[in-house]
């Protein structure tokens, strides 16, 4: 198989490209997304929510390359044995190699308990519900001095979450998705951006391998329990039978997004009565969760 640009040996198929042209294609597509959706402000530090996995390290690599000395890594350590320590090491190696500042915030220090410990006592609670709520809260709390939080969400992640919200009849939640989420005018809320929004997972994996970004590609042990893994398998099957399915989900969703945002943007922003962080109710989900665990 030859590269469609130069006839060198292709290292990636669909599009068929050699190493040099695949890297150019990947970086240009991310730059176009950043520009089109105005993801990165002209000034200020960029907080990259880093898990140590391929998606967040590729995001960190590119933002550090495009905006030198502005990107910093923030890792939330949930306390998942056999998974998180390895990815903390991967992030440390990467940040040392590129001279990027990093910070680690742990559930244990913040709530007094690691996720594994919480789940041993609260067997009926879902790992991802606890983890997602606390992680979002801590990311926002510890990124107040940054202009944006960049995450490694990709085309696969986003098409999964769109379908999950449709299947759960959660239309309001759909209005909070997209390449750029949240409002910078909302006090206490740091805007979130997704530079890899249009990049497929297999493209990110190829890019990280070609760039020699070391990551062990392991998956959280709790991921198998998540509804998301069923939706992921379903979409992967559909994508094989009908290539372009995930891209179509994203494209259709982006056409609907302005209408959804208009419909659900009503209501004035509030601050949590307990911690002062932004919330749509009177007490934020993280404080409600803290009561339960
Ligand atoms: Fe947290 Fe669930 Fe993701 Fe594991 S799979 S890191 S528990 S949200």
């Amino acid at each position: 198989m030859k590269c469609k640009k130069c006839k060198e040996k292709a290292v990636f198929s669909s599009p068929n490209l050699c190493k040099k042209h695949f890297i150019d294609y990947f970086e240009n597509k991310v730059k176009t997304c950043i520009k089109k959706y105005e993801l990165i402000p002209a000034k200020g530090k960029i907080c990259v929510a880093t898990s140590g996995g391929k998606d967040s390290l590729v995001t960190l690599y590119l933002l550090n390359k495009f905006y030198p000395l502005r990107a910093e890594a923030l890792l939330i350590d949930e306390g998942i044995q056999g998974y998180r320590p390895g990815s903390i090491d991967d992030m440390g190696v990467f940040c040392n190699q590129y001279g990027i500042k990093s910070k680690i915030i742990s559930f244990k220090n913040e709530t007094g308990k690691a996720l594994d410990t919480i789940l041993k006592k609260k067997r009926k609670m879902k790992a991802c519900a606890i983890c997602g709520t606390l992680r979002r809260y801590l990311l926002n709390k510890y990124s107040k001095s940054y202009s944006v939080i960049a995450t490694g969400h990709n085309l696969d992640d986003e098409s999964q979450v769109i379908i999950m919200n449709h299947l759960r009849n959660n239309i309001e939640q759909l209005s909070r998705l997209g390449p750029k989420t949240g409002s910078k005018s909302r006090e206490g809320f740091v805007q979130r951006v997704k530079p890899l929004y249009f990049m497929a997972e297999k493209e990110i994996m190829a890019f990280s391998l070609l760039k020699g970004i070391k990551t062990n590609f392991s998956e959280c042990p709790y991921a198998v329990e998540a509804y998301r893994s069923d939706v992921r398998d379903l979409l992967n099957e559909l994508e094989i039978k009908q290539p372009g399915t995930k891209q179509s989900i994203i494209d259709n969703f982006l056409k609907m997004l302005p209408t959804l945002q208009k419909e659900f943007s009503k209501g004035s922003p509030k601050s949590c009565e307990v911690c002062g962080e932004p919330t749509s109710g009177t007490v934020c989900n993280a404080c409600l969760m803290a009561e339960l665990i």
Side-chain angles (χ1 to χ4, degrees):
M1 191 172 58
K2 301 261 187 228
C3 172
K4 66 177 188 178
K5 297 252 181 198
C6 69
K7 308 299 173 211
E8 282 288 312
K9 187 175 170 220
V11 295
F12 192 83
S13 64
S14 186
N16 296 356
L17 293 168
C18 67
K19 181 176 177 181
K20 178 194 175 302
H21 285 115
F22 176 75
I23 289 170
D24 288 350
Y25 152 82
F26 191 98
E27 294 191 356
N28 287 334
K29 201 165 164 187
V30 175
K31 272 186 197 160
T32 304
C33 173
I34 291 174
K35 200 169 164 200
K36 179 170 179 189
Y37 292 94
E38 300 177 339
L39 300 188
I40 305 295
K43 287 187 199 152
K45 293 215 164 148
I46 303 160
C47 175
V48 181
T50 308
S51 67
K54 66 179 186 330
D55 302 327
S56 60
L57 290 185
V58 166
T59 307
L60 187 55
Y61 169 84
L62 290 175
L63 294 181
N64 184 53
K65 178 174 179 180
F66 300 158
Y67 308 95
L69 303 176
R70 287 181 61 194
E72 295 181 3
L74 174 60
L75 184 144
I76 307 296
D77 175 8
E78 309 88 348
I80 304 173
Q81 277 310 312
Y83 167 64
R84 187 50 75 208
S87 58
I88 290 175
D89 290 346
D90 289 342
M91 181 191 77
V93 169
F94 180 87
C95 288
N96 279 343
Q97 186 181 352
Y98 289 95
I100 297 172
K101 282 191 193 163
S102 64
K103 187 158 59 181
I104 299 175
I105 304 293
S106 72
F107 279 15
K108 190 158 186 212
N109 285 345
E110 288 292 317
T111 68
K113 293 171 205 141
L115 185 63
D116 286 343
T117 316
I118 297 168
L119 290 167
K120 271 183 201 144
K121 292 197 178 140
K122 304 281 175 183
R123 289 180 189 273
K124 289 200 174 146
M125 288 183 82
K126 297 262 183 214
C128 298
I130 303 170
C131 180
T133 303
L134 294 180
R135 197 142 41 92
R136 273 192 299 278
Y137 169 82
L138 293 174
L139 273 178
N140 197 60
K141 182 175 170 187
Y142 285 95
S143 59
K144 296 276 166 64
S145 60
Y146 295 88
S147 55
V148 280
I149 304 173
T151 64
H153 291 100
N154 61 40
L155 184 112
D156 293 61
D157 300 325
E158 292 296 301
S159 54
Q160 288 155 19
V161 83
I162 290 166
I163 294 300
M164 282 163 66
N165 279 305
H166 275 294
L167 294 176
R168 286 174 161 160
N169 193 20
N170 201 349
I171 195 159
E172 185 167 356
Q173 200 60 33
L174 283 171
S175 70
R176 300 192 192 124
L177 301 176
K180 187 178 193 175
T181 60
S183 163
K184 65 180 172 190
S185 60
R186 192 170 163 179
E187 203 181 329
F189 194 90
V190 186
Q191 194 146 52
R192 293 180 184 222
V193 298
K194 300 167 188 166
L196 303 186
Y197 196 81
F198 295 102
M199 307 315 296
E201 188 155 345
K202 64 175 189 173
E203 293 178 318
I204 299 168
M205 184 166 306
F207 185 84
S208 68
L209 289 170
L210 292 171
K211 280 285 169 189
I213 295 171
K214 187 189 163 292
T215 165
N216 61 26
F217 299 106
S218 64
E219 190 171 59
C220 170
Y222 298 118
V224 283
E225 300 169 10
Y227 181 44
R228 180 187 280 269
S229 60
D230 295 334
V231 174
R232 180 184 61 190
D233 294 347
L234 180 77
L235 288 182
N236 284 345
E237 260 181 54
L238 279 172
E239 184 72 35
I240 292 168
K241 288 184 189 154
Q242 199 71 42
T245 295
K246 294 173 192 173
Q247 185 67 54
S248 293
I249 292 169
I250 294 284
D251 291 345
N252 277 318
F253 168 71
L254 288 174
K255 283 181 201 151
M256 292 191 302
L257 186 58
T259 311
L260 290 169
Q261 286 174 332
K262 208 168 153 197
E263 176 64 24
F264 293 104
S265 65
K266 296 155 194 163
S268 49
K270 295 178 196 144
S271 296
C272 170
E273 282 178 359
V274 180
C275 69
E277 286 291 299
T279 177
S280 51
T282 47
V283 176
C284 74
N285 287 340
C287 287
L288 292 173
M289 185 66 77
E291 286 286 309
L292 294 174
I293 60 174

